[in-house]
Amino acid sequence: MKGKKSNRMIAALMSASMGIAAIPAIAPAAISAETSDASSKVVFSTDFEDGDVSAFTNRGENDTTVLSASDEAAVSGSTSMLASGRSKDWNGPAFRLDDKLKPYTEYYISAKIKGRYYTNATFSFQYTNSDGETKYSNLVQNLSGSDWMSVENVKVSFTDEMTDVFVYFEGGQDDIFIDDFVVTEAAQVEIEQDIPGLKDVFASDFKVGTALTPAALSSKPTMDIVEKHFSGSITAGNEMKPDAVLNQAACQAYFEETGDDTVPQISFSAAKPLLNYCQKNNIPVRVHTLVWHSQTPDWFFKEGYAADGEWVSKEKMLKRMENYIKAYFETLTELYPDIDFYACDVVNEAWTDGGAPRNPGEQGNGGSSNSAWVQVFGDNSFIEPAFTYARKYAPEGCKLYYNDYNEYMDGKLNAIVEMATDLKEKGLIDGIGMQSHLDARQSLDAAFPSVSMYNKALDKYCELGLDIQVTELDATTPENPTEADFKVQADYYKGIWDAIYAHKDNISAVVVWGVTDDGSWRAKQYPLLFDADYKAKPAFYSIVEGREVPTPEVKYGDADCDGN
């Protein structure tokens, strides 16, 4: 039976003006008992047995949720918190973090949730950035079932540049019950210092880097791994994509003031924590990404920047595109003149797997595979002007790339080669970004793509005489993997990395898409080189086995084609 405990703070509480950033929108990999128990510092806990729900609120004046203590359902004991009267999917109970927790500190959140009739919920967060914009993302999705569902040890952390920070439950309009809500401060974990650093092992061959979100900056062990293994290159996970950079309110205000709706207004407030870190630590940055069908708001393609406006003409969109790319680079280099923005994904994912342009249409709130660029231009004719403007405005030394996934499938590969050949002849492109979101599966025979298929794609891109960068590398296992699955993953990583190494004279960077499994966008399938306890996995050792840290002067590969 649960004890009669009240909401309690077991740590010095911080006041306002903090913020949160968190792991990507996917259920996180489990944190081991070794990591979570080692912290043993609960900073907030309630089982609602005392009837007190005051630490929670609904999500503002337009949220009709009513919060109360209820004896209708409980995990144990007799009481939980009931969120009733929900009239919208986004309505729900919210817990504010920035008046209770410390910035730049990692926490785990656990809770139980149950729908009155059926559980169908998402655990999410929101914060306000330095431009006053409210940002939202999911922490754990698909909390679905007929009984209590668990949120277990979800990592959250935040910087002091964000305000009005909440985690909350949303989804559906059914009444929901919340119980056993616990926030635990993570223990400080020492990473393995007796293993070679990836960036050092391959220092003579190519940059080795990773992708980060601002949340990572609050995790000392995560950043210790970045410093040791991945500080050759940093890519912002989401914070430099169009939806994070374009500011609708500012665009509409500029239009109202000037009558000109061809000059998009941008802000790098979301990326500021990451860029500050890279500037302070002299880490090169990959710009990801300028022109993309996904994570580009539909209003960017509409008259007056209105979500319900008419589509603009091709001529107007060309003006917007040029002014957007110009402002992007000019603002970036003005704010961070000392950062080496050495590469940029100018266009991202423009081709289908079959090698055709995407279907025209809106992204909508949920996102889709449709392309508003194709909607306006009719085809992929927007690609050449995007590279033309990027070449005109990119900082000196910034190489320009086309970036895509499934880049080893014949239809897409052939379309990319044809496109890149034309752009190369016009002096507009420097390289190809191979995302390399791979799947090790249960055996090397079942892996997709096969090592042979991946190697053939490298050969094909190499023949273009352009630079190659592996931009988003990860390789999934089956869910709930066994030791045998991790052995297969290790063998697969070794095969892929050996193929990359064989083409090292043509490859200037390899970027692993994330640091630890639990922070990956594919967390349920454990795709990275380090686990949730910050320990190197068999895949890591398969890559470094037999290799020594070089002593000669660092010299990264160029774009001459002589790989195997």
Side-chain angles (χ1 to χ4, degrees), residues 290-338:
L290 295 180
V291 174
W292 189 23
H293 73 282
S294 184
Q295 289 185 243
T296 304
D298 292 323
W299 58 259
F300 183 53
F301 303 89
K302 302 294 186 68
E303 292 288 352
Y305 304 110
D308 58 354
E310 297 294 324
W311 295 101
V312 299
S313 66
K314 175 180 176 180
E315 291 71 26
K316 178 176 284 191
M317 200 64 220
L318 281 171
K319 292 180 182 178
R320 280 190 187 175
M321 179 195 281
E322 178 171 10
N323 287 329
Y324 157 64
I325 292 175
K326 178 183 180 182
Y328 192 108
F329 281 124
E330 288 183 349
T331 303
L332 197 60
T333 54
E334 180 180 346
L335 291 172
Y336 297 98
D338 299 326

Side-chain angles (χ1 to χ4, degrees), residues 89 334 375:
D89 288 353
E334 180 180 346
Q375 175 71 38

Side-chain angles (χ1 to χ4, degrees), residues 166-451:
F166 295 86
V167 290
Y168 58 95
F169 289 95
E170 61 179 330
Q173 299 174 31
D174 186 17
D175 291 353
I176 55 177
F177 300 91
I178 308 296
D179 208 353
D180 292 352
F181 188 93
V182 182
V183 182
T184 306
E185 183 175 339
Q188 293 300 316
V189 177
E190 296 299 323
I191 70 165
E192 298 163 306
Q193 294 291 355
D194 58 346
I195 59 176
L198 279 176
K199 66 178 176 59
D200 300 321
V201 172
F202 298 97
S204 298
D205 308 312
F206 38 70
K207 289 179 170 68
V208 176
T210 191
L212 292 176
T213 66
L217 301 176
S218 301
S219 169
K220 184 179 185 301
T222 297
M223 298 313 296
D224 286 346
I225 290 177
V226 171
E227 181 179 350
K228 182 175 178 64
H229 297 282
F230 297 122
S231 56
S233 172
I234 295 298
T235 306
N238 288 296
E239 292 72 23
M240 297 178 73
K241 292 175 180 176
D243 61 349
V245 172
L246 290 164
N247 186 313
Q248 183 180 22
C251 288
Q252 291 176 329
Y254 183 89
F255 174 43
E256 183 176 348
E257 179 182 350
T258 66
D260 185 354
D261 68 347
T262 67
V263 186
Q265 304 298 297
I266 66 170
S267 167
F268 288 101
S269 60
K272 184 178 177 181
L274 290 173
L275 294 174
N276 287 347
Y277 171 80
C278 292
Q279 179 169 259
K280 179 180 179 181
N281 293 281
N282 196 30
I283 299 177
V285 171
R286 292 195 84 257
V287 175
H288 178 73
T289 177
L290 295 180
V291 174
W292 189 23
H293 73 282
S294 184
Q295 289 185 243
T296 304
D298 292 323
W299 58 259
F300 183 53
F301 303 89
K302 302 294 186 68
E303 292 288 352
Y305 304 110
D308 58 354
E310 297 294 324
W311 295 101
V312 299
S313 66
K314 175 180 176 180
E315 291 71 26
K316 178 176 284 191
M317 200 64 220
L318 281 171
K319 292 180 182 178
R320 280 190 187 175
M321 179 195 281
E322 178 171 10
N323 287 329
Y324 157 64
I325 292 175
K326 178 183 180 182
Y328 192 108
F329 281 124
E330 288 183 349
T331 303
L332 197 60
T333 54
E334 180 180 346
L335 291 172
Y336 297 98
D338 299 326
I339 291 182
D340 177 15
F341 296 104
Y342 76 100
C344 174
D345 293 328
V346 177
V347 178
N348 200 50
E349 302 175 3
W351 301 99
T352 66
D353 289 348
R358 291 182 174 275
N359 291 328
E362 295 185 337
Q363 273 288 293
N365 293 330
S368 74
S369 62
N370 294 336
S371 171
W373 291 103
V374 175
Q375 175 71 38
V376 172
F377 284 81
D379 51 26
N380 274 357
S381 59
F382 64 89
I383 295 177
E384 182 175 327
F387 275 93
T388 299
Y389 301 143
R391 181 67 81 200
K392 182 176 181 180
Y393 298 111
E396 184 178 355
C398 180
K399 291 186 176 182
L400 308 180
Y401 295 79
Y402 175 81
N403 191 55
D404 215 327
Y405 67 95
N406 287 352
E407 66 280 3
Y408 30 75
M409 297 183 68
D410 285 343
K412 181 175 285 189
L413 187 155
N414 292 333
I416 292 172
V417 167
E418 182 178 353
M419 171 202 69
T421 299
D422 180 61
L423 292 173
K424 180 187 175 188
E425 290 175 353
K426 296 173 181 177
L428 297 177
I429 192 171
D430 297 304
I432 301 297
M434 299 179 65
Q435 289 188 17
S436 305
H437 292 301
L438 315 176
D439 186 359
R441 299 184 180 177
Q442 295 91 349
S443 69
L444 289 181
D445 291 338
F448 185 82
S450 67
V451 171

Side-chain angles (χ1 to χ4, degrees), residues 523-558:
K524 287 185 176 180
Q525 295 172 286
Y526 302 82
L528 301 177
L529 301 176
F530 294 88
D531 65 22
D533 291 329
Y534 311 100
K535 297 292 192 296
K537 294 166 57 181
F540 170 88
Y541 291 103
S542 75
I543 289 172
V544 302
E545 182 181 10
R547 306 186 194 276
E548 297 181 357
V549 176
T551 54
E553 179 182 355
V554 174
K555 184 175 184 296
Y556 297 112
D558 56 27

